[in-house]
Amino acid sequence: MIRFILRRLAQAVPTLLAVVTVSFFLMRLAPGGPFDMERPLAPAAMENLRRVYGLDRPLIAQFGSYLAALARGDLGPSFSFRDQSVLDLIARGLPVSATLGALALVLASSLGVGLGVAAALRRGGALDRLLGIGAALTLSLPSFVVAPLLQIAFGLSLRWLPLSGWDGGAPSHLVLPVITLALPQVGALARLTRASLGEVLRTQPVRTMRSLGLPPLRVTRHALRGALLPVVAYLGPLAASLLTGSVVVETIFGLPGIGRYFVEGALNRDYTLVMGTVLLVAALVIALNLAADLACAWLDPRLRVAA
Amino acid sequence: MAALAVLIGIALACLAGPGFTGHDPERAYPDLRQLPAGLAAQPDAAHLGPALERLAFRMRARLDAVARDGDTLRLTLGSEAGVDRRSLVYLPRSALFGAPEILEDRDGGRGLVVAVPLRRLYFPLGTDIQGRDLLTRCLVAGRISLAIGLATSLVALLIGVAYGATAGFLGGAADAVMMRFVDVLYALPFVFFVILLLVFFRSSLVLMLVAIAAVEWLDMARVVRAQTLSLRERDFVRAARALGVGTPGIIARHIVPNTLGPVAVTATLLVPQVILLESFLSFLGLGVQEPQTSWGVLVADGARAIEAAPHMLAAPALFLIATLVALNLFGDGLADALDPRAD
């Protein structure tokens, strides 16, 4: 098990290196720079700024020193937020995105798996048929349509909840963004659970359990353990994308999370901020995929042998 | 199969519809901004008065009297300096009226009575912030959204099928390396790269197509590889090899055609993903740019005007959601139809 984890972590290094390299050179190839203002700076001032941030050196040298700093855990200073390091900004944005993402994940998985199980147990029932359409519908509702509609309904008309903003993470500010983030995933998870549990319920061991007269609830519990495998595998990348924030949701609800820092950083050519956020997302994707694989191995002993 | 009918209906409407709505997608009616959806002929009484006042002001004339007789308006214009007859061209130019006809000339040109035919315009889905017909724009936007969805999915399909079939058929070390590469790509935060690309290099349709296709071929490659792994041990493949067919020939003639079922399902479910990603990028202002428009662009406009004109969000959002739901349901139906175990 330890060897499996170590091997996966070792595999993550080239992936992260690829992420750093691609995003670094992609940004430097792009026209425009971090100090392009509406009123152009005096050439001497521009020269000084570029020297301070090391942008006057050859590209390869810059890349080398970025990697060296990265190895020490330093993501560099932000170009657009004065006197702040990228680590500071991430430390400020990540809790926001992570809170939203974690709540959305809990909501989506509990609701999605619950609905999926209920549909699988009563195949062809009203809920099952409703879920067929409902899953396709929630999957097809873009967050940028849902978010304004929720704002109109609960923010403007009913005045139950604030329209936007963070306000230190007050619960009332979390409700609408979390629902927006979770909604499309409820359908996806319900469908996945339904299909997977439906398949397990048709297998021989389950029939045997039933024929031996085990109570239906116990049978379902046994079947669920196997049926959750694909769901857990799906939750890994899903968690990563939810935790690192949806760019759209953070933009619409005006939340100071990672996704917004990323878009602002890209628009301002804030090289280090963009690199930092991309790297963070990539690292989280890898870590959560690994976590999902470990959870699968815990659920299914056969996978442990393979690993 | 209702889903397929909806899809065909939307596609036909987008292709042919803009010719039948009676409006050019770019034609703006400045006097009829943000009209709500409705079937009544425009300009209605509420919009006619202000529109006439604005026109009279532009013609440097007073509007002394307005009488309506069916579809014809009798306007009595007055001006101390004399009404300039050339300024009457403002009337047809506003696109709300036909050519004016001078009925009477009073006080040596200081008063003018004109008859102008009132045009009847219809905006079933209302107009946008510049007074353009929303139905026409939704249909024209649909052309772009659907075209991007189909073209990008096709590119992703070709890459994915070629890659997956090659990896699966070669097997061994080549397969391991090729699929390891796919795994690495899966771990990349690709949406972030697409955003970077579009922010840094001025966004264009081709760039967006390439960027989205570069993200979306991975699923297809995995599906095709899994199929190929089971196919390559089958007898007809061995027979082809015994007859001397080369590896590219076997992949093209025997492997790929046999993977078409799952490929069709994956491709059908790919199209809504691509359309969603495109409209997401366009919503952020990174995708389709003016004067071209897509559903994502229209939804973004609508979200900005949602308090004053909710129909501006509702109309394009309904087109978008109907298309996505229909595609998803069609893909599900296709998967069920092709799955022999389906109950």
Side-chain angles (χ1 to χ4, degrees):
Chain A
M1 194 51 124
I2 305 274
R3 266 187 56 196
F4 171 69
I5 298 175
L6 284 179
R7 204 178 65 216
R8 288 287 293 267
L9 288 179
Q11 283 172 352
V13 173
T15 308
L16 289 177
L17 207 61
V19 171
V20 177
T21 315
V22 171
S23 45
F24 186 89
F25 288 101
L26 191 67
M27 268 188 294
R28 300 310 170 94
L29 282 175
F35 307 116
D36 293 345
M37 315 274 166
E38 268 168 43
R39 274 190 306 160
L41 289 172
M46 182 69 118
E47 201 53 44
N48 280 335
L49 267 176
R50 292 179 64 84
R51 186 151 355 104
V52 168
Y53 285 100
L55 292 178
D56 55 339
R57 297 187 303 149
L59 211 52
I60 288 295
Q62 290 181 41
F63 186 54
S65 51
Y66 184 81
L67 284 186
L70 192 64
R72 293 193 306 269
D74 180 10
L75 292 173
S78 161
F79 287 145
S80 56
F81 292 85
R82 202 162 296 179
D83 297 328
Q84 302 203 38
S85 78
V86 172
L87 272 179
D88 293 340
L89 292 172
I90 287 180
R92 209 161 350 124
L94 189 59
V96 175
S97 299
T99 311
L100 286 177
L103 288 173
L105 190 67
V106 171
L107 179 66
S109 47
S110 53
L111 210 58
V113 172
L115 285 172
V117 170
L121 288 181
R122 286 187 173 246
R123 225 168 166 77
L127 181 70
D128 190 29
R129 269 175 292 155
L130 197 69
L131 202 66
I133 311 272
L137 188 67
T138 60
L139 273 175
S140 311
L141 284 177
S143 55
F144 50 82
V145 173
V146 174
L149 288 181
L150 287 178
Q151 281 180 322
I152 280 285
F154 295 101
L156 278 175
S157 302
L158 297 173
R159 299 192 172 278
W160 287 352
L161 294 164
L163 272 182
S164 62
W166 177 241
D167 198 24
S172 63
H173 284 257
L174 291 171
V175 178
L176 295 184
V178 167
I179 292 179
T180 312
L181 272 175
L183 192 61
Q185 303 305 336
V186 173
L189 283 167
R191 195 152 75 164
L192 201 59
T193 312
R194 171 186 170 274
S196 161
L197 183 60
E199 220 159 89
V200 174
L201 285 177
R202 283 199 297 267
T203 56
Q204 203 60 56
V206 172
R207 278 189 217 156
T208 311
M209 277 192 273
R210 278 205 185 125
S211 62
L212 286 175
L214 247 64
L217 210 65
R218 292 267 310 271
V219 177
T220 309
R221 234 180 52 207
H222 282 289
L224 202 55
R225 187 166 163 137
L228 280 181
L229 274 178
V231 179
V232 170
Y234 178 79
L235 281 182
L238 175 66
S241 75
L242 287 178
L243 290 187
T244 47
S246 153
V247 175
V248 164
V249 169
E250 285 177 17
T251 309
I252 295 181
F253 288 104
L255 303 173
I258 293 294
R260 257 206 8 197
Y261 280 131
F262 169 76
V263 172
E264 277 175 30
L267 289 172
N268 294 328
R269 304 285 189 276
D270 192 334
Y271 297 144
T272 45
L273 182 57
V274 170
M275 306 266 304
T277 42
V278 172
L279 208 59
L280 173 78
V281 175
L284 271 173
V285 172
I286 293 171
L288 289 164
N289 273 328
L290 179 59
D293 284 355
L294 291 178
C296 283
W298 176 70
L299 280 170
D300 186 351
R302 284 171 300 178
L303 290 176
R304 271 176 249 169
V305 183
Chain B
M1 286 307 94
L4 189 60
V6 170
L7 278 179
I8 293 175
I10 291 179
L12 282 180
C14 291
L15 279 178
F20 294 107
T21 56
H23 301 281
D24 184 278
E26 298 302 319
R27 182 73 171 90
Y29 300 94
D31 301 301
L32 302 173
R33 289 191 182 124
Q34 295 189 336
L35 285 182
L39 292 174
Q42 297 291 346
D44 59 7
H47 289 88
L48 190 57
L52 281 171
E53 291 289 346
R54 256 196 303 274
L55 280 169
F57 178 78
R58 210 177 283 170
M59 292 159 68
R60 294 161 196 270
R62 284 190 320 272
L63 198 58
D64 287 336
V66 182
R68 184 167 178 174
D69 174 25
D71 282 344
T72 316
L73 285 182
R74 258 172 89 101
L75 307 177
T76 311
L77 298 162
S79 165
E80 293 312 313
V83 179
D84 188 347
R85 292 180 176 211
R86 285 169 300 176
S87 69
L88 289 177
V89 298
Y90 283 122
L91 288 170
R93 209 179 274 171
S94 74
L96 304 180
F97 307 102
E101 185 191 347
I102 298 171
L103 297 177
E104 206 179 315
D105 193 342
R106 289 176 189 160
D107 307 334
R110 260 177 286 180
L112 207 59
V113 181
V114 264
V116 266
L118 187 60
R119 288 185 58 192
R120 279 169 176 276
L121 302 165
Y122 293 93
F123 303 96
L125 295 183
T127 57
D128 72 358
I129 202 154
Q130 292 178 45
R132 295 177 293 196
D133 179 41
L134 207 53
L135 175 61
T136 316
R137 287 189 73 72
C138 281
L139 295 176
V140 171
R143 287 183 187 169
I144 300 263
S145 285
L146 290 174
I148 290 181
L150 290 176
T152 311
S153 300
L154 192 68
V155 174
L157 180 122
L158 292 178
I159 302 176
V161 168
Y163 196 93
T166 310
F169 189 75
L170 293 179
D175 176 44
V177 170
M178 285 174 86
M179 293 327 280
R180 189 74 217 130
F181 178 66
V182 169
D183 290 345
V184 169
L185 289 185
Y186 251 111
L188 294 184
F190 244 119
V191 173
F192 283 56
F193 276 118
V194 173
I195 294 178
L196 277 190
L197 263 180
L198 294 176
V199 170
F200 289 158
F201 304 96
R202 292 272 290 286
S203 120
S204 72
L205 284 188
V206 176
L207 182 63
M208 186 156 71
L209 197 154
V210 171
I212 298 179
V215 188
E216 300 285 358
W217 65 273
L218 299 171
D219 278 325
M220 187 64 81
R222 282 190 169 174
V223 169
V224 173
R225 171 181 172 269
Q227 287 287 310
T228 309
L229 281 180
S230 71
L231 283 173
R232 78 182 166 148
E233 304 301 334
R234 301 271 282 272
D235 284 340
F236 61 89
V237 174
R238 288 192 198 156
R241 172 156 303 166
L243 287 169
V245 183
T247 302
I250 294 179
I251 292 179
R253 291 279 303 280
H254 299 284
I255 300 287
V256 170
N258 276 301
T259 60
L260 281 187
V263 165
V265 173
T266 315
T268 313
L269 295 174
L270 189 61
V271 178
Q273 278 183 47
V274 170
I275 294 181
L276 202 57
L277 190 52
E278 176 272 323
S279 46
F280 161 81
L281 292 168
S282 297
F283 179 84
L284 288 176
L286 303 172
V288 176
Q289 305 286 324
E290 287 278 338
Q292 279 173 323
T293 187
S294 77
W295 285 331
V297 176
L298 293 180
V299 168
D301 289 346
R304 247 171 263 133
I306 187 160
E307 281 177 66
H311 72 279
M312 277 179 61
L313 175 71
L318 281 180
F319 273 96
L320 177 63
I321 292 170
T323 309
L324 295 178
V325 170
L327 278 166
N328 278 325
L329 286 178
F330 181 58
D332 290 351
L334 208 57
D336 285 346
L338 291 173
D339 184 359
R341 288 174 306 165
D343 42 304

